[in-house]
Amino acid sequence: QVQLVESGGGLVQPGGSLRLSCAASGGSFSRATMGWFRQAPGKGREFVVGISWSGGTTYYADSVKGRFAISRDNAEKMVYLQMHSLKPEDTAVYYCAARWGPSVVTTVGEYAYWGQGTQVTVSS
């Protein structure tokens, strides 16, 4: 079992930045592929970015490429999502997710563990 807790969400103006954090406990974090997903009101949950267990492989959704950056600290069991140049369309609840296995995948159903989510609102 892996427990995930996100933090760092909030209200930010367009063009601003935020850093989300995900703290993991339980399980073998260093063997988990991690992902960030988001869900806007009235929409399905969508993949944002994933990182392999070593941190050597990352994969970004086209909508955030060049603006968001994922990183992980296996010693501290933390995953981070640095977000820059935020847009109103980035407004959503952001979820941290974990799956066993080395591959970064984009499908919601492939991730077995989820956090409770943190709200990000981009508005002036």
Side-chain angles (χ1 to χ4, degrees):
Q1 286 285 351
V2 176
Q3 292 79 43
L4 304 171
V5 179
E6 304 94 336
S7 61
L11 173 64
V12 62
Q13 292 188 341
S17 299
L18 275 178
R19 190 176 84 150
L20 305 184
S21 299
C22 174
S25 60
S28 300
F29 177 77
S30 61
R31 302 303 297 270
T33 291
M34 302 299 296
W36 285 97
F37 290 74
R38 66 187 181 186
Q39 187 164 14
K43 295 188 177 181
R45 194 167 296 189
E46 66 172 1
F47 173 82
V48 176
V49 59
I51 186 167
S52 62
W53 55 23
S54 69
T57 300
T58 57
Y59 186 78
Y60 293 85
D62 288 343
S63 58
V64 306
K65 206 171 291 183
R67 300 188 298 121
F68 290 12
I70 189 172
S71 60
R72 67 187 295 165
D73 183 334
N74 284 348
E76 296 295 326
K77 295 188 176 182
M78 296 291 296
V79 180
Y80 304 100
L81 180 62
Q82 180 67 57
M83 305 185 293
H84 296 295
S85 302
L86 283 161
K87 305 175 182 180
E89 50 264 44
D90 294 318
T91 295
V93 177
Y94 283 71
Y95 297 91
C96 178
R99 67 181 297 271
W100 301 125
S103 302
V104 177
V105 297
T106 65
T107 308
V108 170
E110 293 287 340
Y111 289 80
Y113 306 101
W114 294 84
Q116 83 289 348
T118 185
Q119 176 71 47
V120 172
T121 302
V122 184
S123 175
S124 55

